[in-house]
Amino acid sequence: MADPATGGEGNRPALALHVPEPKYRPGDKADFSHIDIGAPGDQPRPDEGIHPSQMAGLAYGLVRVLGDDNLAHGPWNPRLSPETLRAMLGHMALVRAFDERMFRGQRQGKTSFYMKCTGEEATSIAPAMALASDDMIFPSYRQQGILIARGYPLIEMINQIYSNKADKLKGRQLPIMYSSREHSFFSISGNLATQCPQAVGWAMASAVKGDSRIAASWVGEGSTAEGDFHSACTFAAVYNAPVILNVVNNQWAISSFSGFAGAERTTFAARGLGYGIAALRVDGNDALACYAAAEWAATRARGNHGPTLIEYFTYRAEGHSTSDDPSGYRSAQEREEWPLGDPVTRLKNHLIAIGEWDEDRHAAMDLECAERVKATTKEAEKNGILGHGLHHPFHTMFEDVYEELPWHLEEQAEQAIRERIAKFGTERPFG
Amino acid sequence: MSDLIPSVGDAVLEERRLNMIEAINEALDIMLTRDPDVIIMGEDVGYFGGVFRATAGLQAKHGKTRVFDTPISECGIIGVAVGMGAYGLRPVPEIQFADYIYPGLDQLISEAARLRYRSAGDYIAPMTVRSPFGGGIFGGQTHSQSPEALFTHVAGLKTVIPATPHDAKGLLIAAIEDNDPVIFFEPKRIYNGPFSGYYDKPVEPWKKHPDSVVPEGYYKVPLGKARTVREGEALTVLAYGTMVHVAEAVCREKGVDAEILDLRTLVPLDIQAIEASVAKTGRCLIVHEATRTSGFGAELSALVTERCFYHLEAPVERVTGFDTPYPHSLEWAYFPGPVRIGEAIDKLLKD
């Protein structure tokens, strides 16, 4: 081994390992002025059939629509109607209210776990609104906004979070790992990035059958380091799959800043170019830009022009989950200093600026969202909360492992039920 | 012996005989024809027809969107198949060698196997992963492995291993039609002919074996049902894949009246057939190529001991590969061949 004091062998210089370090740690004053966010409206909007090799500017730049003047600028303005904008704002407000309430529910011991999407609402809600309702979504765990935008009943979400007797997943899944076939929302897995090649496969299947539906997956920037992401990009490019691969770059993967996923040297969008995939990098806190990018990619996919990778440049405003405390690894100031602001505030201010909204209506909407979530939570709690009783018959634990129960699961189910009776004296101790 | 199969020398000998590759190819062809949702994909399976020829001619017949080549990415192959299954297709991905299935393990274990369960039936993974497995061909470390125990340990997966052309076709059709994810391991040592384990003797082709009579058209061999290879009184042999033939040859050579069960499906296992046989013979020999520790033989041994304890007249014996990576030059010292099986039989029958 080389002596660190004298350097490497002979005259060769000693090598040095680079370990990325975020700019700010707890106690530091955050300053993001080094981040080039460009100007709203400064990126061109090419034809959807463009060859990826012509998209370098879009992969390294930032597509932005909403300016500091709260008005929409440039060719990416999706020109949405005020009704659509208000619906979008409404979904974002509802998700925020939902997150607040569920986070509190976890702290009150009503469930084991929760994850907020605060600050990232636009990256799920706006693209979901740009897709058709039967386009297939392969989400990660931070796209609850898609379910809200697709009208999935809040009570079903809460039942799942509480793992109660009305939980459609029968208490089998960790909270927030939703699934809804009816809403074309794929079952969420704890294993990161596995949904990316699955989305590509779904899109390939749609193409095999001559269907017109497309698929879209969501993954965090941290998870792009997984092999599955590489597989997904390769297969998407090879088969020209009608898929949108969304990367939500919220700067943090639990305690690891995006540098550990490679962000110091390139953008996540730029990776698409290497595979021959169309690539857009978008202001993830600008709901109009998010909508426009997804709409562009969907049009491209539907026209058989192939896949698109979209990087949503945003910031994870809260902790990773209820099990995380970000004050242990990052500056408390980051959220306020984030140069792209807050997606809800920006969309609200836009609607106000174009004369389609006002502070009073907004306050009333926030109140209504909070009331609605509160009332629905109370309703869901009638179905039980985690830990208060065993909500599902023990036999259900053995169902759906296979289509039919093989002998060994039937035997184990009998054992479990025997244990239940031994403990409670009855198979139905909780009614 | 299956009642479908005439013995050699019968007039029915004119019946069609296939080797295992041809039987698998035919099963795939039939399923591609019957079900427009069946898709075949894998490395080199398309234009070329597979490195073992199992998919030969299928792309030309069924088209490039039904049978196609993939990038060299087992993670991608399995992951994409899960997505296709979620759409409603019935993918039959191939992994070129079982030794290379590991990059696809997360997709198999965390996704395919759990999808029905975690989504409470919202989504399923009706896929059949075909993969050549097993040794005896001087395949060295990465063309010889038998990783079945990794899959039998995963709740939600079914593991199937045929030992004859007749079963290969019928089991593969059943696997493709099954709505659960199936790992279908094809013992490549017996693709072209059954292997006795006497590696110093000439190999016979399948055409001389009664189980190479393969009916034309569609038929199924049900998953979860063992096959009684021969009935006997002295001991029960539990085996699958290549080792069925090796065990049979050794018992024949030694003149042992063994009852040999070809398990065919490891999960779900035909426990009734095993219990009935061991209850009759009182002795049990388990044979597999895979390494010993935590191999599927350990599960079989435990089940036999738990469920047939009062019938047992000797401890359950396991003959397996050694707990080493699969060696190249010392293959026949590693392979659980006639000497190792013979010693175990002697030990079992000692008293």
Side-chain angles (χ1 to χ4, degrees):
Chain A
M1 225 168 17
D3 178 354
T6 57
E9 288 285 313
N11 292 327
R12 290 180 293 181
L15 298 169
L17 181 72
H18 171 67
V19 179
E21 184 63 29
K23 285 188 108 67
Y24 314 109
R25 287 298 194 183
D28 292 343
K29 187 171 159 35
D31 176 4
F32 290 116
S33 56
H34 61 284
I35 296 178
D36 180 8
I37 57 170
D42 73 349
Q43 293 289 335
R45 186 188 187 283
D47 181 84
E48 288 88 349
I50 187 175
H51 193 276
S53 62
Q54 305 303 305
M55 298 188 74
L58 286 156
Y60 289 99
L62 202 59
V63 171
R64 301 180 64 203
V65 174
L66 287 175
D68 291 340
D69 57 4
N70 296 318
L71 296 176
H73 298 272
W76 286 94
N77 178 5
R79 300 179 185 284
L80 300 176
S81 69
E83 295 77 54
T84 305
L85 291 173
R86 278 190 293 264
M88 195 181 276
L89 185 67
H91 296 324
M92 289 167 74
L94 185 56
V95 169
R96 197 160 277 192
F98 187 80
D99 277 357
E100 282 304 319
R101 186 96 203 168
M102 292 301 108
F103 189 92
R104 230 179 323 143
Q106 191 276 341
R107 289 293 188 253
Q108 292 165 346
K110 291 174 183 171
T111 190
S112 58
F113 183 73
Y114 192 71
M115 296 176 109
K116 289 177 160 185
C117 67
T118 311
E120 302 171 40
E121 292 89 348
T123 65
S124 56
I125 287 164
M129 291 179 72
L131 297 175
S133 62
D134 58 353
D135 287 334
M136 188 68 191
I137 302 288
F138 288 80
S140 81
Y141 45 69
R142 226 184 283 282
Q143 280 78 49
Q144 53 265 51
I146 294 170
L147 283 175
I148 300 270
R150 287 196 164 180
Y152 188 67
L154 286 185
I155 191 159
E156 299 292 0
M157 295 173 78
I158 304 172
N159 288 336
Q160 197 281 329
I161 290 164
Y162 287 169
S163 280
N164 63 25
K165 68 182 178 202
D167 173 13
K168 288 193 168 168
L169 305 183
K170 302 180 184 178
R172 292 173 185 158
Q173 271 278 47
L174 198 66
I176 73 162
M177 304 283 185
Y178 312 106
S179 171
S180 175
R181 189 178 179 83
E182 240 174 90
H183 292 76
S184 298
F185 187 92
F186 190 67
S187 155
I188 297 173
S189 169
N191 293 63
L192 299 176
T194 50
Q195 71 275 19
C196 299
Q198 293 165 0
V200 174
W202 195 99
M204 287 169 67
S206 188
V208 164
K209 301 303 270 186
D211 197 343
S212 61
R213 291 177 291 165
I214 64 172
S217 69
W218 271 255
V219 73
E221 92 286 349
S223 304
T224 62
E226 294 282 5
D228 298 66
F229 182 73
H230 165 66
S231 296
C233 291
T234 303
F235 277 68
V238 166
Y239 300 103
N240 201 45
V243 67
I244 306 172
L245 300 169
N246 296 298
V247 175
V248 181
N249 176 7
N250 67 12
Q251 315 302 321
W252 291 94
I254 308 186
S255 75
S256 302
F257 88 115
S258 59
F260 283 100
E264 284 182 333
R265 288 161 199 258
T266 187
T267 68
F268 293 95
R271 294 181 180 191
L273 301 181
Y275 293 95
I277 296 177
L280 299 171
R281 188 161 174 268
V282 179
D283 176 348
N285 290 12
D286 176 345
L288 298 189
C290 294
Y291 184 102
E295 187 183 41
W296 186 93
T299 304
R300 180 178 173 85
R302 284 188 223 287
N304 276 316
H305 299 299
T308 302
L309 190 160
I310 304 175
E311 173 185 348
Y312 299 96
F313 194 66
T314 181
Y315 185 79
R316 195 193 78 208
E318 297 268 358
H320 166 72
S321 72
T322 48
S323 308
D324 179 44
D325 176 10
S327 71
Y329 51 80
R330 69 183 189 186
S331 164
Q333 278 191 320
E334 286 193 13
R335 182 175 177 175
E336 292 84 70
E337 295 300 321
W338 183 245
L340 298 173
D342 177 90
V344 181
T345 309
R346 285 175 68 190
L347 184 58
K348 177 186 85 169
N349 290 344
H350 173 59
L351 270 162
I352 292 172
I354 60 173
E356 295 287 348
W357 198 239
D358 56 58
E359 291 288 358
D360 288 347
R361 286 163 82 182
H362 194 84
M365 179 182 73
D366 276 346
L367 189 65
E368 194 189 309
C369 286
E371 291 296 329
R372 185 175 155 201
V373 173
K374 187 178 171 187
T376 313
T377 304
K378 288 216 153 75
E379 201 57 35
E381 283 175 12
K382 289 180 190 163
N383 300 317
I385 57 173
L386 185 72
H388 288 221
L390 300 162
H391 299 299
H392 296 273
F394 279 19
H395 196 268
T396 62
M397 179 162 58
F398 302 90
E399 294 161 5
D400 299 323
V401 178
Y402 300 93
E403 186 172 34
E404 287 164 11
L405 266 67
W407 63 270
H408 63 287
L409 288 186
E410 279 295 4
E411 283 188 3
Q412 290 167 32
E414 283 164 24
Q415 177 184 357
I417 292 165
R418 234 178 15 251
E419 288 173 4
R420 183 178 177 117
I421 293 168
K423 183 168 171 64
F424 299 109
T426 165
E427 198 184 325
R428 297 190 166 277
F430 309 102
Chain B
M1 231 169 264
S2 161
D3 50 7
L4 278 170
I5 307 296
S7 59
V8 181
D10 274 359
V12 233
L13 243 189
E14 341 244 300
E15 273 197 71
R16 230 166 41 116
R17 287 169 179 262
L18 303 180
N19 67 29
M20 196 180 271
I21 287 286
E22 292 164 336
I24 287 164
N25 183 273
E26 192 167 282
L28 295 172
D29 186 21
I30 287 169
M31 290 314 295
L32 283 164
T33 306
R34 281 175 68 95
D35 184 347
D37 291 332
V38 169
I39 295 282
I40 292 173
M41 60 172 174
E43 298 158 16
D44 306 299
V45 307
Y47 181 85
F48 179 58
V51 296
F52 290 104
R53 317 306 301 150
T55 55
L58 297 179
Q59 185 181 75
K61 183 172 175 187
H62 298 280
K64 275 172 66 173
T65 61
R66 304 285 308 283
V67 181
F68 52 85
D69 294 314
T70 63
I72 303 174
S73 167
E74 290 75 16
C75 161
I77 292 169
I78 306 293
V80 155
V82 171
M84 289 178 161
Y87 178 92
L89 298 189
R90 202 167 278 277
V92 187
E94 177 183 300
I95 300 296
Q96 201 160 78
F97 288 87
D99 315 64
Y100 301 131
I101 203 166
Y102 310 127
L105 271 193
D106 188 38
Q107 285 287 348
L108 280 169
I109 295 174
S110 309
E111 302 295 317
R114 309 229 175 110
L115 189 52
R116 179 193 294 278
Y117 191 76
R118 77 170 194 233
S119 70
D122 255 3
Y123 298 98
I124 62 171
M127 59 200 264
T128 301
V129 183
R130 288 182 43 245
S131 190
F133 99 129
I137 56 148
F138 282 106
Q141 290 186 30
T142 56
H143 297 78
S144 307
Q145 294 168 35
S146 298
E148 68 272 17
L150 294 178
F151 299 94
T152 57
H153 191 55
V154 178
L157 294 181
K158 292 179 175 173
T159 303
V160 177
I161 300 170
T164 67
H166 173 270
D167 282 0
K169 180 176 168 184
L171 286 168
L172 182 53
I173 289 175
I176 293 171
E177 289 195 340
D178 198 282
N179 286 328
D180 293 314
V182 179
I183 309 296
F184 192 86
F185 280 138
E186 301 166 2
K188 57 184 163 314
R189 184 64 184 81
I190 58 171
Y191 265 156
N192 293 307
F195 177 58
S196 68
Y198 293 88
Y199 60 91
D200 35 8
K201 292 182 186 168
V203 174
E204 296 218 318
W206 271 115
K207 313 280 170 183
K208 291 192 175 174
H209 193 284
D211 288 342
S212 72
V213 175
V214 176
E216 297 211 41
Y218 172 93
Y219 69 91
K220 279 204 274 195
V221 171
L223 305 188
K225 290 278 175 245
R227 173 179 70 110
T228 305
V229 180
R230 88 183 282 286
E231 294 187 355
E233 303 290 335
L235 77 154
T236 296
V237 177
L238 304 180
Y240 46 91
T242 302
M243 299 317 293
V244 170
H245 303 282
V246 178
E248 192 186 5
V250 175
C251 290
R252 197 186 314 121
E253 191 82 6
K254 290 178 74 78
V256 177
D257 183 24
E259 178 146 305
I260 301 176
L261 293 187
D262 169 6
L263 298 177
R264 298 201 286 202
T265 304
L266 305 190
V267 175
L269 186 67
D270 189 348
I271 194 68
Q272 286 185 330
I274 293 170
E275 285 179 24
S277 180
V278 176
K280 181 172 79 172
T281 65
R283 291 177 163 85
C284 183
L285 169 66
I286 294 156
V287 190
H288 63 57
E289 279 182 73
T291 50
R292 185 180 182 85
T293 302
S294 303
F296 190 65
E299 180 64 29
L300 289 171
S301 175
L303 285 168
V304 168
T305 306
E306 287 161 6
R307 305 169 87 94
C308 309
F309 185 78
Y310 295 106
H311 293 285
L312 286 175
E313 292 166 42
V316 176
E317 276 291 313
R318 277 186 290 162
V319 171
T320 70
F322 292 128
D323 284 337
T324 71
Y326 204 106
H328 186 231
S329 71
L330 296 179
E331 170 147 67
W332 298 120
Y334 171 91
F335 191 87
V339 173
R340 205 175 305 156
I341 294 173
E343 283 188 347
I345 290 175
D346 291 345
K347 193 173 163 195
L348 268 168
L349 297 180
K350 198 168 56 192
D351 300 313

